[in-house]
Amino acid sequence: LVRGVALGERGDTTLALTQFEKAVAVNAYSVNAITYLAMMQYQLKLYSQALDNYNKLAELRPQDPFVFINRAITRYNLDDLRGCMSDLDQALRLDPKSKMAYQNRGILRAESGDLNNAADDFSHALALDPSDDITLFNRANVYLQLGEAANALQDFNIIIAKHPDFGPAYQQRA
């Protein structure tokens, strides 16, 4: 397992993957080995294989919100949007203060046209971390789509004040 981590850090993802597969073969219930294997498979865009391992992790660690967030992101890349939403909902049941789950669910909802709930999710994430400018930018764009120009302008102005060279905020504000 350690060798796989070192190889991955050096950028040798193929050999790292082999090491993680060997670690899982030695102990099929090693949460660490399965986690590293799933993460490497995801990095290599082996999404179906990564999903299989995140499914195993969900069985082994059903109370771990990060398992469900990672599985949701993997499902998203497999166009399983319903499964993705279900996993993000589960992550938030397990940890109602998961900024990452709120952010990802907000993005998913915005992409699917559920703009009011997307804005709410971004607002929840910002309540947990007010300094998250990417989430603030996402919420501003959702506000624009909702026709809430004053709220969008307020968010864009905050971003511009903090990052005067951030062109997309100026473009959207215009």
Side-chain angles (χ1 to χ4, degrees), residues 89 92 95-106 109 116-132 135-136 139 143 155:
D89 289 342
L92 286 166
D95 180 7
K97 293 184 178 184
S98 174
K99 179 184 95 165
M100 188 183 303
Y102 280 117
Q103 289 169 319
N104 282 292
R105 193 172 73 175
R109 284 177 163 170
N116 286 310
N117 284 321
D120 288 345
D121 280 344
F122 292 139
S123 293
H124 282 296
L126 287 165
L128 296 166
D129 181 5
S131 67
D132 185 342
T135 299
L136 187 63
R139 184 178 72 178
Y143 281 153
D155 285 355

Side-chain angles (χ1 to χ4, degrees), residues 23-165:
V24 170
V26 169
N27 182 355
Y29 298 99
S30 169
V31 170
N32 288 337
I34 298 168
T35 299
Y36 279 112
L37 177 58
M39 288 170 31
M40 186 57 63
Q41 289 167 329
Y42 179 88
Q43 184 178 338
L44 293 170
K45 298 183 178 146
L46 302 170
Y47 299 127
S48 293
Q49 292 172 20
L51 180 61
D52 289 342
N53 284 303
Y54 283 123
N55 288 338
K56 288 177 193 171
L57 287 169
E59 291 176 19
L60 294 170
R61 306 270 320 247
Q63 299 303 313
D64 185 346
F66 292 106
V67 168
F68 292 94
I69 292 168
N70 286 328
R71 187 170 75 174
I73 295 167
T74 303
R75 285 179 161 175
Y76 178 86
N77 283 286
L78 290 168
D79 293 322
D80 178 7
L81 303 184
R82 219 173 263 183
C84 177
M85 182 66 75
S86 176
D87 279 347
L88 293 170
D89 289 342
Q90 178 62 17
L92 286 166
R93 279 191 290 278
L94 294 170
D95 180 7
K97 293 184 178 184
S98 174
K99 179 184 95 165
M100 188 183 303
Y102 280 117
Q103 289 169 319
N104 282 292
R105 193 172 73 175
I107 291 167
L108 183 62
R109 284 177 163 170
E111 288 180 1
S112 66
D114 186 4
L115 299 177
N116 286 310
N117 284 321
D120 288 345
D121 280 344
F122 292 139
S123 293
H124 282 296
L126 287 165
L128 296 166
D129 181 5
S131 67
D132 185 342
D133 296 329
I134 293 172
T135 299
L136 187 63
F137 183 74
N138 286 336
R139 184 178 72 178
N141 281 303
V142 166
Y143 281 153
L144 266 184
Q145 292 177 59
L146 286 168
E148 296 180 21
N151 287 332
L153 184 62
Q154 181 179 358
D155 285 355
F156 287 130
N157 285 340
I158 292 168
I159 295 167
I160 290 167
K162 291 164 75 174
H163 307 282
D165 294 336

